Amino acid sequence: MLTESLFKALSDPTRRALFERMCQEGELTVQQLTDGSGVSQPAVSKHLVALRLAGLVALRPEGRQTFCAARPEALVPLSNWVRLYSSFWAGRLDALTDMLSRMD
Amino acid sequence: MTSTLTLTRDLPFPVTRVWRAVSSGAILAEWLLPNDFQPVVGCRFTFQSQVMPGWDGVIASEVLEVSPPSHLRFTWVALGVMTEVSVRLEAVQGGTRITVEQSGFAEDQARNLAGARYGWTGFLDRLAKVVEAE
């Protein structure tokens, strides 16, 4: 769910660094992100998937390149406890509903 | 000044089944979080959330009320924020209405406490400055 994927995305220091770079430098290609990241391009791509799942980046393919832009607005739930927990409980009630249908 | 969040859902299941799902530690572990909860007033227990840099993921709780099959209340203390969670069940047409309330959020204070301890405030503030400058 949204909150868990946000925490997961931000708990890795390489991913945090990629995200902060995009915040500071604007839209970058995967290649540009890889240069100076200290990790391989496949690793960068994997990190971008995790960031995208959390809503933290937008990916825009164009020709053979993919442009990556940060979406810092996705962090807003983390700065507001009521919003964060609303999101948390909504996800937990989904899981409860699923659980109940499997109980006898 | 404190805030409360409230979520309400109508679940197509009988009250007795929903009560079992919210008052059994083993079942809570399946849909909420791993825990050592016991449905006994005064029981002190923990929920285990995701471990992350700066936080061991532990949520400290104490059972405040157990009134089968309709009301369960416990404290929820995580990341320096102290709140209370209330789970209320009500039989309605077609099943059970569940109302989850979490109360006691003192927004500014909570954010400062948690931020100071866990470094999020600094991280978020730096990002906010970058976004503002765009």
Side-chain angles (χ1 to χ4, degrees):
Chain A
M1 60 129 333
L2 179 64
T3 309
E4 286 160 16
S5 61
L6 261 176
F7 278 129
K8 229 178 250 186
L10 293 171
S11 63
D12 179 293
T14 307
R15 277 203 285 276
R16 269 206 306 279
L18 289 170
F19 179 69
E20 290 196 27
R21 242 189 93 191
M22 284 181 271
C23 283
Q24 278 163 12
E25 299 178 45
E27 209 178 36
L28 295 168
T29 63
V30 176
Q31 185 58 56
Q32 286 170 317
L33 279 170
T34 305
D35 298 339
S37 70
V39 294
S40 67
Q41 183 161 323
V44 169
S45 293
K46 262 199 186 144
H47 285 310
L48 287 170
V49 168
L51 287 169
R52 192 177 64 76
L53 275 172
L56 287 163
V57 309
L59 303 177
R60 183 173 66 84
E62 194 177 275
R64 278 198 221 139
Q65 293 187 308
T66 300
F67 290 86
C68 318
R71 299 184 66 252
E73 60 270 28
L75 285 174
V76 168
L78 285 182
S79 69
N80 180 313
W81 291 111
V82 171
R83 243 181 285 194
L84 183 152
Y85 274 109
S86 294
S87 175
F88 169 77
W89 287 111
R92 294 307 88 211
L93 288 178
D94 286 344
L96 169 61
T97 306
D98 188 62
M99 175 82 237
L100 287 163
S101 65
R102 289 184 279 121
M103 284 167 70
D104 37 69
Chain B
M1 282 267 71
T2 61
S3 306
T4 299
L5 74 87
T6 304
L7 280 89
T8 301
R9 290 233 187 139
D10 284 355
L11 305 169
F13 305 100
V15 168
T16 47
R17 190 189 301 192
V18 183
W19 175 256
R20 199 152 51 93
V22 305
S23 61
S24 149
I27 306 179
L28 277 171
E30 296 284 317
W31 66 270
L32 182 48
L33 288 168
N35 64 84
D36 55 347
F37 165 84
Q38 298 283 341
V40 174
V41 173
C43 168
R44 294 214 174 153
F45 67 103
T46 61
F47 289 103
Q48 181 64 56
S49 181
Q50 195 172 358
V51 178
M52 62 186 76
W55 186 37
D56 60 6
V58 173
I59 295 156
S61 296
E62 181 179 333
V63 180
L64 299 173
E65 182 179 344
V66 183
S67 304
S70 59
H71 205 184
L72 176 64
R73 270 190 313 132
F74 48 90
T75 57
W76 179 287
V77 183
L79 287 163
V81 181
M82 293 179 282
T83 59
E84 186 180 301
V85 174
S86 153
V87 179
R88 191 184 294 275
L89 305 184
E90 187 193 334
V92 295
Q93 179 97 12
T96 302
R97 177 161 298 161
I98 182 168
T99 303
V100 176
E101 276 193 346
Q102 187 169 9
S103 57
F105 293 100
E107 282 299 312
D108 293 337
Q109 181 199 15
R111 186 183 163 184
N112 289 338
L113 271 174
R117 255 184 248 183
Y118 302 101
W120 286 112
T121 301
F123 176 48
L124 292 170
D125 286 348
R126 282 201 319 276
L127 280 166
K129 288 199 177 77
V130 167
V131 171
E132 274 162 11
E134 300 266 316

